[in-house]
């Protein structure tokens, strides 16, 4: 067995790329998967009528024509029109090499097995796996002496080791069970070890099941959300907390549930969001006071009732994949955060403090939320209404540090920007007030400065750059 088939922790295998955030088997999905920390691209492989290897899952095109009887140009034209352009396998492999990602090729057309092995070698890809549901397809690779590990995908109900006999990887496709993680027993893993076979896990997107799976000694875990396989964890000697500005807004549309879900899956502790209020008092998560920029609607948010706003599309402006994504209510975001055991940072904006506090209290999230607004009178009112409310003050909003630390009856944290004077940090720490640094950019040198300062909290757009710079600083993560 190749050494890399026994990793110290399971590989994150991006199922058709990051297919939770882009159409599966597209270059956008694969590129996003690399951004989100994938170790392997799982790609479905078929052969067109003119013998071009393509990344395509279904046997037929959207028009109902078999892919095997469709030319590459015809397939490309059809899928480009639908904004989910099918890539040639060559394109996927070029991207994988450039991003340093392995390939986990699932053969959907038996004729594609041997050409895929040759294509892996042609591109110089060392970490490559070729698998299929059909054991006979996998045996074709053995017959030609392919150097790439072979995987057999085991359907529910089949005996794993009999079904995948002779393969290097037993890939369990058990996602349709209620608690599939319970079936990956120590006895099953010991049997695989005795047979010198690695185990791969079905595509998993449930955080509770993933928490159990990622601790198992398996080769890898497939997921539409590759960031969920190994979410960020703060270094042992710096228990920094992370805030996602408007959610994972480079992956999914800002201030939506998909953006928040991605942020939590990636390991962010807190999602920052902005509030507006409808004409009938519903608290909505949207940055602008108007609908024009981030929805298919127009006009002021406050001029419309919730029933009309609920029909707005808050996703298409970002990417066609998110068409139909609704505007979330504050209650929706609080429920999501609570289900993950995470927190929310609320910028109050045009919402009424009384309504905001009532919604947070109803969700039993007061201890897991902190508040800010650019109008000091709003924060003062909020703190007067609820002395236990966690309120943030910004250093740049006050002339002196003393004023900053006394604002609103004493802030729960103080935020600094890169342009502020960080020489205050020691005095703030002695006062027992947590420090948050906010940096929305992607300059490595600024991120390095943030890391060197060791604030208690970082408010950032790009968690993965942050993790990369932590590693460069020798802090692991």
């Amino acid at each position: 067995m190749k050494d890399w088939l026994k990793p110290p922790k399971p590989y994150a295998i991006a199922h058709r790329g990051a297919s939770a955030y882009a159409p599966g088997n597209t270059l956008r999905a694969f590129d996003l998967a690399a951004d989100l920390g994938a170790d392997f691209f799982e790609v479905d492989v078929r052969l067109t009528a003119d013998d071009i290897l393509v990344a395509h899952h279904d046997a037929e095109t959207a028009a109902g024509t078999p892919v095997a009887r469709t030319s590459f140009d015809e397939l490309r034209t059809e899928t480009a029109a639908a904004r989910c352009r099918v890539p040639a396998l060559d394109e996927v492999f070029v991207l994988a090499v450039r991003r340093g990602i392995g390939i986990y090729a699932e053969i959907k057309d038996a004729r594609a097995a041997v050409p895929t092995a040759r294509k892996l070698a042609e591109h110089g890809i060392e970490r490559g796996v070729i698998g299929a549901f059909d054991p006979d397809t996998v045996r074709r690779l053995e017959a030609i002496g392919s150097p790439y590990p072979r995987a057999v995908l085991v359907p529910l109900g089949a005996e794993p080791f009999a079904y995948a006999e002779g393969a290097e990887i037993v890939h369990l496709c058990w996602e349709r069970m209620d608690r599939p993680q319970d079936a990956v027993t120590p006895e099953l893993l010991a049997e695989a070890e005795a047979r010198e076979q690695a185990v791969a896990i079905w595509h998993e997107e449930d955080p509770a099941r993933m928490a159990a799976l990622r601790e198992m000694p398996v080769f890898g875990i497939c997921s539409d959300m590759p960031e969920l396989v190994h979410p960020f964890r703060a270094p042992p000697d710096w228990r920094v907390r992370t805030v996602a500005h408007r959610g994972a807004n480079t992956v999914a549309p800002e201030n939506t549930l998909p953006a928040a879900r991605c942020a939590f899956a990636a390991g962010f502790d807190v999602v920052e969001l902005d509030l507006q209020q409808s004409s009938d008092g519903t608290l909505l998560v949207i940055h602008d006071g108007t609908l024009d920029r981030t929805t298919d609607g127009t006009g002021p948010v406050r001029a419309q009732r919730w029933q009309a706003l609920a029909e707005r599309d808050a996703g298409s402006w970002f990417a066609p994949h998110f068409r139909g994504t609704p505007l979330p209510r504050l209650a929706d975001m609080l429920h999501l955060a609570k289900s993950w055991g995470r927190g929310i940072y609320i910028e109050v904006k045009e919402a009424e403090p009384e309504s905001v506090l009532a919604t947070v209290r109803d969700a039993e999230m007061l201890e897991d939320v902190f508040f800010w607004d650019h109008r000091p009178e709003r924060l003062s009112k909020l703190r007067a209404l609820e002395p236990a409310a966690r309120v943030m003050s910004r250093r740049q909003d006050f002339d002196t540090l003393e004023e900053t630390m006394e604002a609103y009856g004493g802030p729960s944290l103080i935020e600094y920007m890169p342009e502020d004077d960080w020489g205050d940090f020691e005095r703030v720490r002695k006062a027992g007030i947590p420090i948050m640094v906010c940096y929305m950019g992607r300059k490595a040198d600024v991120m390095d400065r943030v890391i060197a300062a060791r604030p208690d909290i970082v408010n950032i757009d790009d968690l993965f750059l942050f993790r990369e710079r932590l590693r460069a600083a020798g802090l692991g993560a």
Side-chain angles (χ1 to χ4, degrees):
M1 183 185 294
K2 294 180 182 291
D3 290 342
W4 56 265
L5 289 177
K6 300 181 71 174
K9 61 181 182 179
Y11 290 118
I13 304 171
H15 184 241
R16 307 176 197 168
S19 52
Y21 311 114
N25 285 312
T26 61
L27 292 180
R28 169 65 175 164
F30 292 123
D31 208 26
L32 266 179
D35 291 342
L36 294 172
D39 300 300
F40 282 81
F41 295 155
E42 189 269 352
V43 52
D44 300 302
V45 185
R46 291 190 178 276
L47 207 55
T48 63
D50 47 350
D51 294 330
I52 303 296
L53 291 166
V54 293
H56 196 280
H57 180 271
D58 295 349
E60 296 183 342
T61 69
T65 306
V67 173
R69 288 189 293 184
T70 304
S71 74
F72 177 63
D73 285 345
E74 290 170 335
L75 185 63
R76 184 88 106 180
T77 299
E78 177 187 320
T79 56
R83 296 190 176 184
C84 54
R85 177 177 173 271
V86 166
L89 197 62
D90 277 316
E91 295 175 275
V92 179
F93 286 4
V94 166
L95 176 63
V97 170
R98 180 169 63 82
R99 300 299 304 265
I101 308 294
I103 290 291
Y104 196 106
E106 182 183 338
I107 305 302
K108 292 294 187 180
D109 176 346
R111 299 175 305 139
V114 171
T116 297
R118 290 174 178 155
K119 191 67 71 174
L120 283 166
E122 180 183 316
H123 284 268
I125 294 173
E126 295 182 2
R127 287 194 309 161
V129 174
I130 307 175
F133 273 102
D134 176 22
D136 289 337
T137 296
V138 174
R139 291 189 189 104
R140 294 186 184 192
L141 299 166
E142 184 179 14
I144 67 164
S146 168
Y148 294 101
R150 293 157 292 134
V152 171
L153 283 69
V154 180
L156 190 62
E159 201 291 317
F161 300 108
Y163 195 84
E165 185 176 0
E168 287 90 345
I169 298 174
V170 180
H171 188 133
L172 306 173
C173 296
W174 293 349
E175 61 266 23
R176 291 179 177 83
M177 297 172 66
D178 288 338
R179 287 186 56 84
Q181 68 270 34
D182 294 345
V184 188
T185 62
E187 292 76 17
L188 183 148
L189 295 171
E191 179 71 11
E193 178 73 18
R195 291 172 176 264
E196 296 189 339
Q197 290 178 300
V199 173
I201 301 295
W202 58 88
H203 74 89
E204 184 57 75
E205 289 75 48
D206 178 78
R209 289 200 291 264
M210 185 66 81
L213 293 172
R214 71 168 70 100
E215 301 303 321
M216 293 182 178
V218 297
F219 164 74
I221 305 169
C222 287
S223 184
D224 299 346
M225 303 166 66
E227 73 280 12
L228 183 59
V229 180
H230 294 296
F232 172 79
R233 292 176 180 170
D237 58 347
W238 180 28
R239 294 298 185 182
V240 62
R241 289 174 58 77
T242 50
V243 177
H245 180 243
R246 305 181 197 172
N249 66 72
T250 62
V251 178
E254 65 176 56
N255 278 320
T256 62
L257 290 171
R261 192 174 294 111
C262 178
F264 291 141
F268 277 97
D269 299 294
V270 177
V271 162
E272 184 266 353
L273 55 81
D274 307 281
L275 290 185
Q276 303 290 336
Q277 200 158 349
S278 69
S279 63
D280 51 351
T282 300
L283 296 172
L284 298 171
V285 180
I286 179 173
H287 179 273
D288 299 357
T290 61
L291 297 165
D292 302 62
R293 182 175 67 87
T294 58
T295 80
D296 62 346
T298 59
V301 175
R302 192 171 272 276
Q304 302 193 37
R305 296 177 63 83
W306 162 240
Q307 186 174 0
L309 293 167
E311 298 176 358
R312 297 276 64 87
D313 175 356
S316 292
W317 70 274
F318 184 86
H321 181 76
F322 293 100
R323 181 178 292 111
T325 299
L327 283 169
R329 298 168 300 172
L330 173 59
D332 301 324
M333 283 289 199
L334 291 170
H335 176 76
L336 179 68
K338 191 170 185 177
S339 72
W340 283 81
R342 308 293 173 80
I344 293 290
Y345 162 17
I346 295 175
E347 185 171 343
V348 179
K349 286 195 176 287
E350 298 307 317
E352 296 299 329
E354 295 92 338
S355 297
V356 176
L357 279 171
T359 304
V360 172
R361 287 194 193 105
D362 287 346
E364 299 180 340
M365 288 283 287
L366 191 62
E367 294 182 0
D368 302 298
V369 170
F370 66 90
F371 305 88
W372 182 74
D373 191 84
H374 67 280
R375 292 161 297 189
E377 64 274 12
R378 287 254 174 161
L379 291 179
S380 296
K381 182 177 182 180
L382 195 147
R383 177 58 75 74
L385 290 167
E386 176 52 76
R390 300 170 67 227
V391 174
M392 183 188 83
S393 65
R394 296 195 311 176
R395 180 65 185 89
Q396 65 181 249
D397 294 335
F398 300 91
D399 292 332
T400 68
L401 179 59
E402 287 70 22
E403 290 175 304
T404 310
M405 293 195 293
E406 293 169 2
Y408 321 117
S412 301
L413 68 159
I414 294 175
E415 181 183 77
Y416 284 79
M417 306 295 285
E419 59 268 25
D420 292 329
D421 180 4
W422 293 4
D424 292 342
F425 280 12
E426 192 57 35
R427 291 172 62 194
V428 176
R429 289 190 172 110
K430 285 182 178 178
I433 304 174
I435 296 168
M436 180 167 80
V437 171
C438 174
Y439 177 54
M440 298 294 102
R442 289 172 175 78
K443 292 183 178 179
D445 61 332
V446 180
M447 198 72 83
D448 292 345
R449 182 177 167 228
V450 174
I451 291 168
R454 301 288 185 97
D456 303 285
I457 310 167
V458 293
N459 181 8
I460 51 179
D461 264 342
D462 194 335
L463 178 65
F464 296 94
L465 174 60
F466 182 65
R467 179 155 63 181
E468 177 186 310
R469 298 316 302 167
L470 278 173
R471 287 172 177 159
L475 294 176

